Amino acid sequence: MIKLYLAVMLGGSLGAVARYAVAQWSVAHWPKLFPLPTLIVNLLGCLLIGVLYGLWLERPEFSPLLRQTLVVGFLGAFTTFSTFSLDTLRLLENGEGLLALAYILLSVCVGLLATWAGLSLAR
């Protein structure tokens, strides 16, 4: 169990550094655009989680420890939007279109409301 936590911690550390590096690179190349660093990180994370999920579906012999390191650790620190996207895609693939729509609307709308509430509390 400790090994798993250490693996997730290592992946998370690398994911956080990668997120920061992408943001710095983006700002250096395209300053003052809309939140481009976040968009880039979210889209890259979605691409990566799709590739990793596809690999594990096709090659289940890949280490579960590696999966947790990369998906929970690295991508969890890099962007949780990739997990949101994969969860939504899996709902759609399972024929749960209404549930997927509810998940999207709740995540985005209630997420914005929670952010506003948190900011209001802090002010």
Side-chain angles (χ1 to χ4, degrees):
M1 190 62 136
I2 292 290
K3 188 177 179 181
L4 177 61
Y5 281 98
L6 290 174
V8 169
M9 184 175 66
L10 172 64
S13 298
L14 295 173
V17 169
R19 180 184 184 104
Y20 182 76
V22 168
Q24 294 305 304
W25 175 83
S26 172
V27 168
H29 287 83
W30 299 289
K32 298 188 176 136
L33 281 178
F34 70 99
L36 188 61
T38 303
L39 179 64
I40 291 170
V41 163
N42 286 341
L43 296 179
L44 278 174
C46 289
L47 176 67
L48 289 173
I49 205 167
V51 167
L52 291 172
Y53 184 62
L55 286 174
W56 277 297
L57 286 176
E58 295 298 318
R59 308 212 39 200
E61 71 273 8
F62 280 152
S63 163
L65 184 64
L66 180 60
R67 180 179 181 161
Q68 297 302 316
T69 302
L70 294 175
V71 173
V72 176
F74 183 84
L75 289 176
F78 190 65
T79 173
T80 57
F81 187 77
S82 59
T83 305
F84 164 77
S85 297
L86 180 60
D87 289 343
T88 304
L89 180 65
R90 291 174 73 188
L91 286 170
L92 291 169
E93 287 179 339
N94 290 332
E96 304 275 3
L98 286 176
L99 194 56
L101 180 61
Y103 182 55
I104 292 165
L105 291 174
L106 284 169
S107 296
V108 174
C109 297
V110 177
L112 286 170
L113 182 62
T115 303
W116 171 82
L119 180 58
S120 296
L121 287 170
R123 287 183 174 163

